[in-house]
Amino acid sequence: MRAVTWQGKRDVRVETVPDPRIEQPTDAVIRVTSTGLCGSDLHLYEVFGPFMTPGDVLGHEPMGIVEEVGPEAGDLKVGDRVVVPFQIACGHCWMCSSGLPTQCETTQVRDEGMGAALFGYSRLYGAVPGGQAEYLRVPQAQFGPIKVPEGPADDRFLYLSDVLPTAWQAVQYAAIPPGGTVAVLGLGPIGDMACRVALHQGAEKVFGVDLVPERLLRARGRGVDTFDLNGFDKQEELIEAIRDRTGGRGPDAVIDAVGTEAHGSPAARLGQQAAGLLPQAWAAKLFQKAGTDRLAALLLAIELVRRGGTISLSGVYGGAADPLPLLTLFDKQVQLRMGQANVRRWVDDILPLLVDEDPLGVDGFATHHVPLAEGAEAYKTFQEKADCAVKIVMRP
């Protein structure tokens, strides 16, 4: 089959790889019909190369048709139309039963000290072949795949794999009070969708912060009060502008939908680039012991949120030695919540919004649909934010 493979920093290629097959009784194999390109895929493209192996199949946002099932794949059957969550979880361990499939005790990657295995996301998360491919082996298929109805196009349901539950959890973790306010830092796919979810759930004001004109325009068209970073000489000016619209206090909550790829933090960026020049084994050890993130977005969130407010992190951070202003966090009495989205935890809340109407605008959410054969070009376009790209969907 054909698949998007990692070959090195900023080097992905569509290559022929072995077809997946049933390996465990709980496996299934699906024929992929659509697969998303995620902002966190760019972390592999840019930063987390030390944990990758040339030839790794990328991608963690697939959906498709079940082609084969193992004898213990639950009620899944050949021909089912399914969306596959990005994490691999059993559904019956203590963590899964507690609504935390990202910490699944059956699939935890204990050798790396990490949580549940993920599709297409480095050896840190199990080195499981990903979904930017023609076919995908799905472990723990008795729990993971989400059955969706026939009829609507794939885009109606595809984002259940990651974007929708990640944005939904970001808003839930933000704990926006009734009629409250939230600022969303970063208006890429997750930040954009988090704005939509917050408005749908009744936030009085949603402020969106970015520096890409197309993303700002897109969010503004859905009722978000947007702020262009390019319009402020200093961070303090942006903070004051938002405080002026929140009674001088700042928003009740801030969602950081940027993560480690934030603009700014030049020292951390230099460290990341320097690590990329080291032998792979050395670089991996450096990241795990002394790695730092580019923290511009998180530091802005800490300054911006009102006293007693909440910061919700959905942007990916990977540093092991990040300095944080704990005095400020403590003094402002800020609550901080974060983590990979627990996809199956939120599906029952989200799926009814996708069946008849489309209040979150998922049908038109993707800006680009491209053949899988153009995967390498898609990564480059998305990384460069070229051609007004916000969300790219590949179709095998």
Side-chain angles (χ1 to χ4, degrees):
M1 70 172 183
R2 302 291 282 173
V4 179
T5 64
W6 185 92
Q7 299 296 335
K9 184 175 181 179
R10 298 183 190 171
D11 182 5
V12 302
R13 306 173 197 170
V14 179
E15 296 190 325
T16 299
V17 302
D19 290 345
R21 58 183 178 82
I22 299 292
E23 298 178 13
Q24 300 294 330
T26 55
D27 285 353
V29 173
I30 72 164
R31 174 175 55 84
V32 178
T33 55
S34 291
T35 183
L37 175 52
C38 179
S40 54
D41 288 325
L42 296 183
H43 298 308
L44 306 179
Y45 192 66
E46 287 278 352
V47 179
F48 294 146
F51 305 105
M52 300 294 289
T53 301
D56 282 350
V57 178
L58 298 170
H60 57 269
E61 296 186 352
M63 70 173 292
I65 305 299
V66 176
E67 293 280 306
E68 189 177 0
V69 294
E72 297 176 18
D75 63 354
L76 205 63
K77 63 182 184 298
V78 172
D80 283 341
R81 187 187 193 197
V82 296
V83 177
V84 180
F86 68 88
Q87 71 233 195
I88 302 168
C90 71
H92 56 72
C93 70
W94 188 90
M95 286 291 182
C96 287
S97 299
S98 300
L100 293 169
T102 57
Q103 311 303 323
C104 175
E105 293 170 320
T106 300
T107 72
Q108 278 179 15
V109 187
R110 291 181 173 83
D111 289 347
E112 300 290 346
M114 306 301 279
L118 308 180
F119 287 103
Y121 217 78
S122 84
R123 67 172 171 82
L124 289 178
Y125 288 99
V128 181
Q132 289 170 4
E134 294 179 315
Y135 293 89
L136 175 69
R137 180 179 75 91
V138 182
Q140 304 297 327
Q142 80 288 347
F143 176 68
I146 303 161
K147 293 183 183 182
V148 296
E150 299 292 339
D154 280 6
D155 281 26
R156 177 64 66 95
F157 303 111
L158 175 63
Y159 309 115
L160 281 170
S161 60
D162 184 350
V163 174
L164 278 167
T166 296
W168 195 274
Q169 179 171 293
V171 173
Q172 293 298 312
Y173 280 10
I176 307 163
T181 58
V182 59
V184 179
L185 307 183
L187 296 174
I190 301 302
D192 184 334
M193 186 58 73
C195 290
R196 300 180 188 204
V197 171
L199 288 167
H200 176 75
Q201 294 187 0
E204 180 178 347
K205 295 179 182 177
V206 176
F207 309 109
V209 180
D210 207 298
L211 44 67
V212 180
E214 297 82 9
R215 297 183 177 192
L216 291 161
L217 180 63
R218 179 174 155 115
R220 197 157 52 244
R222 296 194 67 91
V224 178
D225 193 354
T226 59
F227 294 80
D228 184 349
L229 283 172
N230 294 310
F232 299 91
D233 293 328
K234 298 179 182 179
Q235 176 174 291
E236 290 74 18
E237 294 176 1
L238 169 65
I239 292 171
E240 285 305 313
I242 296 178
R243 282 179 178 165
D244 285 346
R245 304 194 191 187
T246 55
R249 286 183 292 272
D252 298 307
V254 177
I255 295 172
D256 174 0
V258 178
T260 189
E261 288 298 299
H263 290 262
S265 309
R269 181 180 185 183
L270 180 62
Q272 291 172 350
Q273 291 174 338
L277 301 176
L278 294 172
Q280 193 171 34
W282 296 10
K285 289 181 180 179
L286 177 65
F287 268 99
Q288 287 178 302
K289 298 296 184 182
T292 57
D293 291 298
R294 298 167 68 185
L295 295 175
L298 178 54
L299 295 176
L300 172 58
I302 293 169
E303 291 299 319
L304 179 59
V305 71
R306 70 161 169 81
R307 292 179 176 273
T310 302
I311 296 173
S312 172
L313 300 186
S314 61
V316 175
Y317 286 96
D322 289 329
L324 288 176
L326 290 177
L327 173 61
T328 302
L329 287 165
F330 182 85
D331 179 65
K332 291 184 72 172
Q333 203 165 332
V334 172
Q335 299 182 75
L336 185 62
R337 294 200 71 180
M338 68 189 81
Q340 304 275 10
N342 297 287
V343 175
R344 291 306 300 259
R345 164 68 179 82
W346 309 112
V347 166
D348 289 346
D349 296 325
I350 301 170
L351 194 54
L353 302 178
L354 307 177
V355 175
D356 295 318
E357 302 298 325
D358 183 21
L360 301 178
V362 296
D363 286 345
F365 191 69
T367 53
H368 294 66
H369 293 88
V370 301
L372 184 72
E374 297 178 11
E377 294 86 349
Y379 268 81
K380 186 174 187 294
T381 297
F382 193 34
Q383 192 272 337
E384 294 176 352
K385 299 180 177 67
D387 194 29
C388 303
V390 177
K391 185 63 181 178
I392 298 177
V393 174
M394 292 180 273
R395 289 178 173 159

